[in-house]
Amino acid sequence: MFYRASLQAAAALASLSLLAGCGLLPGGGSDVEQKLAVGTTSSPSTLDPAAAWDNSWELMRNVFQTLVSFPTGSTSPEPDAADNCRFTDLTSTAYRCELRKGLKFSNGETLDAEAVKYSIDRIRSIGVKGGPIGMLGSLDRVETKGDDVVIFHLVKPDATFPFVLATPAMSLVAPGEYSKHKVRDDGKVTGSGPYLLDAYKPGDRSELVKNPHYKGFADRKNDAVTIRYFKESSALVPALKKGEIDATYRGLSAEDVVALEDNKDKDSDLQIIESVGADIRFLVFNPKDPAAGNPAVRRAIAQLVDRDALVAKVYRGTAEPLYSMIPKGIAAHTTSFFDTFGDPDKKKARKILTDAGITKPVEMTFWFTTDRYGSSTAPEFAELKRQLEASGLFRITLKSKPWTTFQEGFKKGDFPVFGRGWFPDFPDPDNFIAPFVGKESVTGMPYLKNEITTELLPQSRKESDRGAVSKQFERAQEILVGDVRLLPLWQGKLYVAAGEDIGGGERALDPQTVMQMWELYRKASW
């Protein structure tokens, strides 16, 4: 989710009022214990970092530590469990970290160099398909020196490796509680992060309490946080209004955001905070499916999809059309799909199909998840179906599953076409290309493109100046357009809605767009 010079949270949209005779301070000004409740539609699919390359990271960031991380406002990784880290050679193939002194896991085990090595090695030994093993392609081996020094030896230069280490997938786990050969599935967490996971009920809630032994960068402004998981976006704002939750960070519908921004609900004491987003949505085509595996069918769909209409009708300005897998705001962004296909055109789409010998409407099934990306997902796919069928060239059946079973399905290659979202591991063009190609693609299906994997990515990873890699990534985008295995649709903005008495929302989303719960607090008055 990391190199770009700027992916920082935007300023809050709602201003803070100061009343005569009354001031507002962070919660630290009061002796009352700070307990908050935060709502989201993004529940974890796993509690084990070795299996997580999805929004499970949002819980993990708060209960685990990584060697380096992203404090609010930073644009490059800074020490967390490590005291310092650096490349020790000019070729960016040896990365050395020295640990903080006195670190311990919540079960009392020492967090030393061997524990770090164990945590990273088990990701590879378990090798979850579609999991974070795909992020460690440049790692050769992990070496320890004494109790406090870890050296990562890379098989090839990789200037992005520190950013990989900063992802929650590289969270440090207690060796005594985590098998090196299987994913932990007992619903518990043993980490060293800012919070302890006091209780967990899948699909319902996580109870976080302050870790009294934490040593790291997080300045915790509250004592405990309950994260509540909602199945439908429509329940989030009502829960806020009722005081059942204090804030929400994923899952607001476009209608909710627009209403809060326009202050249409005069009785609401809520604020809306907008952050720059690099999250994207796209379609994935299964090359083994008879229809989706036909390049002409994929190109015809690319020629028909009207992104402007999709964004206007479904997302109402809370998203914008995307014509590349690399979104706006990230180095090397292009409009490659628009440059190739132009505006939606039924005649051109028909010609693409007839030239390939397809004269009858193509029947296809599109799949989406019901509980990962918010309640606008179903209307989004209904609009895609409408657009494609209006051309007379397609007949689309829509099907859906909850995220856990949906994820299992696409990893097995069960779906001919399905929708995915991508919240960046780090704000660098590498992270919008590399995860989707190669044998370990996060789509669950290998996507072998040698020019990208053996030429363009290795060339770019030698360059520590990430603004100087545009040539390689512009070419990679051309290749993706030629294949149309992935069809970008839109990129979004991120919003935090909160009660007027809640502070810290503008600092809560880190450059990985992961919620740092410790930044939230209840304002105290005098």
Side-chain angles (χ1 to χ4, degrees), residues 232-263:
E232 298 293 338
S233 301
S234 57
L236 288 173
V237 173
L240 271 171
K241 291 179 178 178
K242 294 176 184 177
E244 296 172 356
I245 57 176
D246 299 297
T248 180
Y249 67 100
R250 285 223 195 275
L252 288 173
S253 69
E255 290 76 15
D256 291 332
V257 171
V258 170
L260 288 168
E261 286 183 329
D262 292 347
N263 196 27

Side-chain angles (χ1 to χ4, degrees), residues 57-353:
W57 287 10
E58 306 201 276
L59 175 61
M60 292 176 186
R61 172 57 76 215
N62 293 277
V63 296
F64 291 107
Q65 275 185 295
T66 45
L67 285 171
V68 290
S69 189
F70 278 90
T72 299
S74 65
T75 57
S76 60
E78 297 182 15
D80 186 3
D83 181 68
N84 61 81
C85 292
R86 61 186 176 87
F87 279 109
T88 60
D89 61 341
L90 296 177
T91 59
S92 299
T93 57
Y95 192 67
R96 181 186 187 275
C97 291
E98 184 175 350
L99 296 177
R100 292 177 186 263
K101 304 293 184 182
L103 294 176
K104 288 188 179 295
F105 292 106
S106 57
N107 66 346
E109 285 187 58
T110 299
L111 199 172
D112 56 11
E114 284 297 329
V116 174
K117 174 177 168 57
Y118 184 92
S119 298
I120 304 302
D121 284 347
R122 75 183 288 269
I123 295 173
R124 298 201 293 180
S125 64
I126 294 175
V128 173
K129 185 178 181 181
I133 186 174
M135 303 176 70
L136 293 174
S138 64
L139 180 63
D140 178 21
R141 61 189 175 89
V142 185
E143 176 189 6
T144 62
K145 287 191 174 182
D147 293 335
D148 302 324
V149 174
V150 185
I151 303 173
F152 299 90
H153 296 277
L154 310 182
V155 296
K156 52 193 174 183
D158 187 358
T160 71
F161 189 73
F163 301 99
V164 172
L165 286 181
T167 67
M170 305 300 143
S171 292
L172 306 177
V173 300
E177 302 282 352
Y178 290 81
S179 167
K180 200 167 187 176
H181 304 290
K182 65 179 182 178
V183 172
R184 184 175 182 177
D185 59 2
D186 62 356
K188 297 180 180 180
V189 161
T190 310
S192 59
Y195 297 96
L196 305 177
L197 183 61
D198 191 51
Y200 175 67
K201 185 176 180 181
D204 182 53
R205 67 186 59 215
S206 294
E207 299 283 354
L208 309 184
V209 296
K210 188 183 288 188
N211 180 359
H213 304 296
Y214 170 69
K215 293 183 179 181
F217 73 88
D219 178 14
R220 294 164 296 182
K221 297 179 175 64
N222 58 64
D223 300 296
V225 178
T226 297
I227 306 175
R228 287 188 52 193
Y229 304 115
F230 290 79
K231 292 183 179 180
E232 298 293 338
S233 301
S234 57
L236 288 173
V237 173
L240 271 171
K241 291 179 178 178
K242 294 176 184 177
E244 296 172 356
I245 57 176
D246 299 297
T248 180
Y249 67 100
R250 285 223 195 275
L252 288 173
S253 69
E255 290 76 15
D256 291 332
V257 171
V258 170
L260 288 168
E261 286 183 329
D262 292 347
N263 196 27
K264 291 179 180 177
D265 188 344
K266 301 300 181 182
D267 296 327
S268 176
D269 292 325
L270 304 180
Q271 57 178 313
I272 184 75
I273 301 164
E274 179 185 335
S275 295
V276 176
D279 59 309
I280 65 173
R281 298 293 186 276
F282 55 97
L283 294 179
V284 181
F285 295 92
N286 188 338
K288 295 184 178 181
D289 180 77
N294 188 328
V297 171
R298 301 197 298 265
R299 288 198 297 270
I301 291 174
Q303 187 63 71
L304 287 170
V305 170
D306 187 338
R307 295 168 176 81
D308 287 325
L310 179 67
V311 168
K313 291 182 179 180
V314 179
Y315 291 100
R316 302 181 61 191
T318 62
E320 55 185 318
L322 181 64
Y323 296 95
S324 166
M325 289 299 290
I326 299 176
K328 284 183 179 180
I330 301 292
H333 165 74
T334 69
T335 55
S336 48
F337 273 87
F338 184 82
D339 298 341
T340 300
F341 295 100
D343 291 321
D345 192 313
K346 182 171 68 175
K347 290 183 179 179
K348 290 181 179 179
R350 184 182 300 278
K351 188 176 187 305
I352 291 172
L353 293 175

Side-chain angles (χ1 to χ4, degrees), residues 39-61:
T40 178
T41 58
S42 180
S43 63
S45 64
T46 177
L47 299 185
D48 191 331
W53 202 352
D54 60 17
N55 287 351
S56 301
W57 287 10
E58 306 201 276
L59 175 61
M60 292 176 186
R61 172 57 76 215

